[in-house]
Coordinates of all heavy atoms in Angstrom, one line a residue:
E80 N -38.0 74.1 -40.7 CA -36.6 74.5 -40.6 C -35.8 74.2 -41.8 O -35.0 75.0 -42.3 CB -35.9 73.9 -39.4 CG -34.5 74.4 -39.1 CD -33.9 73.8 -37.8 OE1 -34.4 72.9 -37.2 OE2 -32.8 74.4 -37.4
N81 N -35.9 73.0 -42.4 CA -35.2 72.5 -43.5 C -36.0 71.8 -44.6 O -35.6 71.9 -45.8 CB -34.1 71.5 -43.1 CG -33.0 72.3 -42.3 OD1 -32.2 73.1 -42.9 ND2 -32.8 72.0 -41.0
K84 N -36.7 73.1 -48.3 CA -35.7 73.8 -49.1 C -35.5 73.0 -50.4 O -35.8 71.8 -50.5 CB -34.4 73.8 -48.3 CG -34.5 74.8 -47.1 CD -33.3 74.8 -46.1 CE -33.5 75.8 -45.0 NZ -32.5 75.6 -43.9
Y87 N -34.2 69.4 -50.7 CA -35.1 68.3 -50.1 C -36.3 68.1 -51.0 O -36.8 66.9 -51.2 CB -35.5 68.6 -48.7 CG -34.3 68.6 -47.7 CD1 -33.9 69.8 -47.2 CD2 -33.7 67.4 -47.4 CE1 -32.8 69.8 -46.3 CE2 -32.6 67.4 -46.5 CZ -32.2 68.6 -46.0 OH -31.1 68.7 -45.1
H117 N -40.8 77.7 -46.3 CA -39.5 78.2 -46.3 C -38.6 77.2 -47.0 O -38.5 76.1 -46.6 CB -39.0 78.3 -44.8 CG -37.6 78.8 -44.7 ND1 -37.2 80.1 -44.8 CD2 -36.5 78.0 -44.4 CE1 -35.8 80.1 -44.6 NE2 -35.4 78.9 -44.3
W121 N -33.2 80.2 -52.7 CA -32.0 80.5 -51.8 C -30.8 79.9 -52.4 O -30.8 78.7 -52.8 CB -32.3 79.9 -50.4 CG -31.3 80.3 -49.4 CD1 -30.5 81.4 -49.3 CD2 -31.0 79.5 -48.2 NE1 -29.7 81.4 -48.2 CE2 -30.0 80.2 -47.5 CE3 -31.5 78.3 -47.7 CZ2 -29.5 79.7 -46.3 CZ3 -31.0 77.8 -46.5 CH2 -30.0 78.5 -45.8
Q124 N -28.2 75.3 -49.7 CA -28.9 74.0 -49.7 C -29.7 73.8 -51.0 O -30.8 73.4 -51.0 CB -29.9 74.0 -48.5 CG -29.2 73.9 -47.1 CD -30.1 73.8 -45.9 OE1 -30.7 74.8 -45.5 NE2 -30.3 72.6 -45.4
N164 N -34.7 84.2 -50.3 CA -34.0 84.2 -49.0 C -32.6 84.7 -49.2 O -31.9 84.2 -50.1 CB -34.0 82.8 -48.4 CG -33.5 82.8 -46.9 OD1 -33.9 83.7 -46.1 ND2 -32.5 82.0 -46.7
E165 N -32.2 85.8 -48.4 CA -30.8 86.2 -48.3 C -30.2 86.6 -49.7 O -29.1 86.1 -50.1 CB -30.0 85.1 -47.6 CG -30.5 84.8 -46.2 CD -29.8 83.6 -45.5 OE1 -28.7 83.2 -46.0 OE2 -30.4 83.1 -44.5
Q239 N -34.8 88.0 -40.1 CA -34.6 86.7 -39.5 C -34.4 86.9 -38.0 O -34.9 86.0 -37.2 CB -33.4 86.1 -40.1 CG -33.6 85.6 -41.5 CD -32.4 84.9 -42.1 OE1 -31.5 84.6 -41.4 NE2 -32.5 84.6 -43.4
H241 N -31.5 86.7 -35.9 CA -30.5 85.9 -35.2 C -29.6 86.8 -34.5 O -28.7 87.4 -35.0 CB -29.7 85.0 -36.2 CG -30.5 84.0 -37.0 ND1 -31.1 82.9 -36.3 CD2 -30.9 83.9 -38.3 CE1 -31.7 82.2 -37.2 NE2 -31.6 82.8 -38.4
E270 N -37.0 84.2 -37.7 CA -36.0 83.2 -37.2 C -35.4 83.6 -35.9 O -34.2 83.5 -35.7 CB -34.9 82.9 -38.3 CG -35.5 82.6 -39.7 CD -34.5 82.3 -40.7 OE1 -33.3 82.1 -40.3 OE2 -34.8 82.2 -41.9
A285 N -26.2 85.4 -40.0 CA -26.4 83.9 -40.1 C -25.9 83.4 -41.4 O -26.4 82.6 -42.0 CB -27.9 83.6 -39.9
V287 N -24.4 81.1 -43.3 CA -24.0 79.7 -42.9 C -22.7 79.3 -43.4 O -22.2 78.3 -43.0 CB -25.1 78.7 -43.4 CG1 -26.4 79.0 -42.6 CG2 -25.4 78.8 -44.9
W339 N -36.5 80.4 -34.1 CA -35.9 79.5 -35.0 C -35.5 78.2 -34.2 O -34.4 77.9 -33.9 CB -34.6 80.1 -35.6 CG -34.3 79.3 -36.9 CD1 -33.2 78.6 -37.2 CD2 -35.1 79.2 -38.1 NE1 -33.2 78.1 -38.4 CE2 -34.4 78.4 -39.0 CE3 -36.4 79.7 -38.5 CZ2 -34.9 78.1 -40.3 CZ3 -36.9 79.4 -39.7 CH2 -36.1 78.6 -40.6
W347 N -30.2 75.3 -34.0 CA -29.0 75.3 -35.0 C -27.8 75.9 -34.4 O -26.7 75.6 -34.7 CB -29.4 75.9 -36.3 CG -29.4 77.4 -36.2 CD1 -30.3 78.2 -35.5 CD2 -28.5 78.4 -36.8 NE1 -30.1 79.5 -35.6 CE2 -29.0 79.7 -36.4 CE3 -27.4 78.3 -37.6 CZ2 -28.3 80.8 -36.8 CZ3 -26.8 79.4 -38.0 CH2 -27.2 80.7 -37.6
Ligands
G3I401 O1 -30.0 66.0 -43.6 C1 -28.6 65.7 -43.2 C2 -28.5 64.4 -42.5 O2 -28.8 63.4 -43.5 C3 -27.0 64.2 -42.1 O3 -26.9 63.0 -41.4 C4 -26.7 65.4 -41.2 C5 -25.3 65.3 -40.6 O4 -24.4 65.7 -41.6 O5 -26.8 66.6 -41.9 C6 -28.2 66.8 -42.3 O6 -28.3 68.0 -43.0 C7 -28.1 69.2 -42.1 C8 -29.4 70.0 -42.2 O7 -29.3 71.2 -41.5 C9 -30.6 69.2 -41.6 O8 -30.3 68.9 -40.2 C10 -27.0 70.0 -42.8 O9 -25.8 69.3 -42.6 C11 -26.9 71.4 -42.0 O10 -26.0 72.2 -42.7 C12 -28.3 72.0 -42.1 O11 -28.2 73.2 -41.3 C13 -29.3 74.1 -41.5 C14 -28.8 75.4 -42.1 O12 -29.9 76.3 -42.3 C15 -28.1 75.3 -43.4 O13 -28.8 75.5 -44.4 C16 -30.0 74.4 -40.1 O14 -30.5 73.2 -39.6 C17 -31.0 75.5 -40.3 O15 -31.5 75.9 -39.0 C18 -30.5 76.7 -41.0 O16 -31.5 77.6 -41.2 C19 -31.2 78.8 -41.9 C20 -32.4 79.2 -42.6 O17 -32.9 78.2 -43.5 C21 -32.2 80.5 -43.4 N1 -31.7 81.6 -42.5 C22 -30.5 81.2 -41.8 C23 -30.8 79.9 -41.0 C24 -29.6 79.6 -40.1 O18 -28.5 79.2 -40.9

Side-chain angles (χ1 to χ4, degrees):
E80 183 177 13
N81 286 296
K84 292 170 179 172
Y87 294 107
H117 175 80
W121 184 29
Q124 289 184 283
N164 188 49
E165 302 173 15
Q239 289 184 8
H241 294 294
E270 305 183 11
V287 291
W339 203 244
W347 72 294

